Amino acid sequence: GAVVSQHPSRVICKSGTSVKIECRSLDFQATTMFWYRQFPKQSLMLMATSNEGSKATYEQGVEKDKFLINHASLTLSTLTVTSAHPEDSSFYICSARDAGRYTEAFFGQGTRLTVV
Amino acid sequence: SQKIEQNSEALNIQEGKTATLTCNYTNYSPAYLQWYRQDPGRGPVFLLLIRENEKEKRKERLKVTFDTTLKQSLFHITASQPADSATYLCALRTGDDKIIFGKGTRLHILP
């Protein structure tokens, strides 16, 4: 199957700082990438959908100024958590859709963010 | 609102038996339904997709059924093994092209 690489896998940052998470599709072009957040023993909650070259679409309740998403190329999307607070600590997962294989999505390994 | 429910939060099955997981949805008529496996601290991995006009799909020891009248999908693992222990998620693609997930069922295969 297609490979999606997410980096870093773990990050610890201080309150008030910003953290950038990268999501790359390694062997396919991802016209659409999705960012999810997952709390322990909970489902994946969709945060936003990003399409290459256009602004991301955020789900209700997700602050777009806090979670900045950039999808500048067909293989790279980034999520920046700005002015992080301890309540932003979570597991963040990206997924990418292959334009040629439209039905399933391929997921990155996830990023465990801890804000101290 | 659209809802996906996976009835069991956790399920313990004896090794060698068949594990059956349930996914129900409401307020939606999906063209297809997907099942993913997620291991702790990892992203989900796609397993199977079943379309609305398919009643059953198989892949090795996995079998998925889809009943659009009951709005339900069943996910079976036959001859279960301890390595099958993981969280299994069902997912739907919405009309506005997003993929949304149920909470998942944590499956434990007991040796």
Side-chain angles (χ1 to χ4, degrees), chain A residues 3 8 16 19 28 32 39-40 48-49 53 68 71 89-90 95 97 99 104-106:
Chain A
V3 178
V19 173
F28 67 97
T32 306
F39 291 105
T49 303
L68 299 178
H71 191 166
S89 299
S90 188
S95 78
R97 180 171 288 156
E104 72 238 53
F106 301 97

Side-chain angles (χ1 to χ4, degrees), chain A residues 32 34 36 38 41-44 46 49 57 59 91 93 97 102-110 112, chain B residues 9 32 34 36 38 40-46 49 51 89 93 96-104 106:
Chain A
T32 306
F34 303 90
Y36 293 84
Q38 188 176 34
K41 297 185 181 179
Q42 296 294 313
S43 183
L44 284 77
L46 181 64
T49 303
T57 303
E59 295 300 300
F91 192 54
I93 309 174
R97 180 171 288 156
Y102 202 57
T103 50
E104 72 238 53
F106 301 97
F107 286 81
Q109 307 94 312
R112 171 73 59 196
Chain B
E9 191 174 310
Y32 57 80
Q34 306 175 45
Y36 290 79
Q38 186 177 24
R42 309 286 293 177
V45 174
F46 172 77
L49 178 151
R51 300 184 188 281
L89 304 162
R93 185 167 151 200
D96 52 357
D97 213 28
K98 300 168 191 172
I99 297 177
I100 57 173
F101 288 83
K103 279 191 175 180
R106 279 178 290 119

Side-chain angles (χ1 to χ4, degrees), chain B residues 37 61-62 77-88 107 109:
Chain B
R37 169 180 172 144
R61 293 184 296 110
L62 308 181
I77 305 176
T78 58
S80 57
Q81 304 166 2
D84 295 327
S85 298
T87 295
Y88 291 86
L107 177 65
I109 305 299

Side-chain angles (χ1 to χ4, degrees), chain A:
Chain A
V3 178
V4 175
S5 176
Q6 188 173 338
H7 179 81
S9 57
R10 289 179 181 274
V11 58
I12 300 173
C13 71
K14 290 185 178 179
S15 285
T17 62
S18 295
V19 173
K20 182 185 280 190
I21 302 170
E22 289 188 349
C23 182
R24 293 182 185 272
S25 56
L26 297 187
D27 51 1
F28 67 97
Q29 293 185 329
T31 51
T32 306
M33 285 188 174
F34 303 90
W35 287 95
Y36 293 84
R37 182 173 182 176
Q38 188 176 34
F39 291 105
K41 297 185 181 179
Q42 296 294 313
S43 183
L44 284 77
M45 185 189 78
L46 181 64
M47 299 174 66
T49 303
S50 77
N51 292 295
E52 186 263 338
S54 62
K55 287 186 180 178
T57 303
Y58 290 82
E59 295 300 300
Q60 194 172 10
V62 179
E63 297 174 60
K64 61 181 180 182
D65 294 330
K66 180 163 187 63
F67 298 101
L68 299 178
I69 291 171
N70 184 276
H71 191 166
S73 77
L74 282 171
T75 58
L76 174 65
S77 176
T78 60
L79 167 67
T80 302
V81 183
T82 62
S83 188
H85 290 282
E87 56 263 32
D88 298 325
S89 299
S90 188
F91 192 54
Y92 292 87
I93 309 174
C94 72
S95 78
R97 180 171 288 156
D98 184 335
R101 294 174 64 179
Y102 202 57
T103 50
E104 72 238 53
F106 301 97
F107 286 81
Q109 307 94 312
T111 297
R112 171 73 59 196
L113 170 63
T114 303
V115 185
V116 297

Side-chain angles (χ1 to χ4, degrees), chain B:
Chain B
S1 61
Q2 295 162 353
K3 268 179 148 180
I4 306 174
E5 289 182 351
Q6 293 186 246
N7 294 1
S8 303
E9 191 174 310
L11 188 62
N12 294 328
I13 298 292
Q14 203 67 41
E15 182 177 4
K17 302 288 186 188
T18 297
T20 299
L21 285 63
T22 306
C23 176
N24 294 287
Y25 58 93
T26 57
N27 297 333
Y28 190 58
S29 297
Y32 57 80
L33 186 146
Q34 306 175 45
W35 284 88
Y36 290 79
R37 169 180 172 144
Q38 186 177 24
D39 290 285
R42 309 286 293 177
V45 174
F46 172 77
L47 295 175
L48 278 169
L49 178 151
I50 186 164
R51 300 184 188 281
E52 60 179 342
N53 60 350
E54 297 175 315
K55 291 233 179 312
E56 183 179 295
K57 199 86 167 271
R58 290 176 186 261
K59 179 182 173 184
E60 298 173 353
R61 293 184 296 110
L62 308 181
K63 184 178 88 171
V64 171
T65 62
F66 193 11
D67 188 326
T68 55
T69 303
L70 291 177
K71 293 187 181 291
Q72 182 181 79
S73 175
L74 299 179
F75 176 81
H76 307 271
I77 305 176
T78 58
S80 57
Q81 304 166 2
D84 295 327
S85 298
T87 295
Y88 291 86
L89 304 162
C90 74
L92 295 175
R93 185 167 151 200
T94 66
D96 52 357
D97 213 28
K98 300 168 191 172
I99 297 177
I100 57 173
F101 288 83
K103 279 191 175 180
T105 296
R106 279 178 290 119
L107 177 65
H108 301 280
I109 305 299
L110 307 171

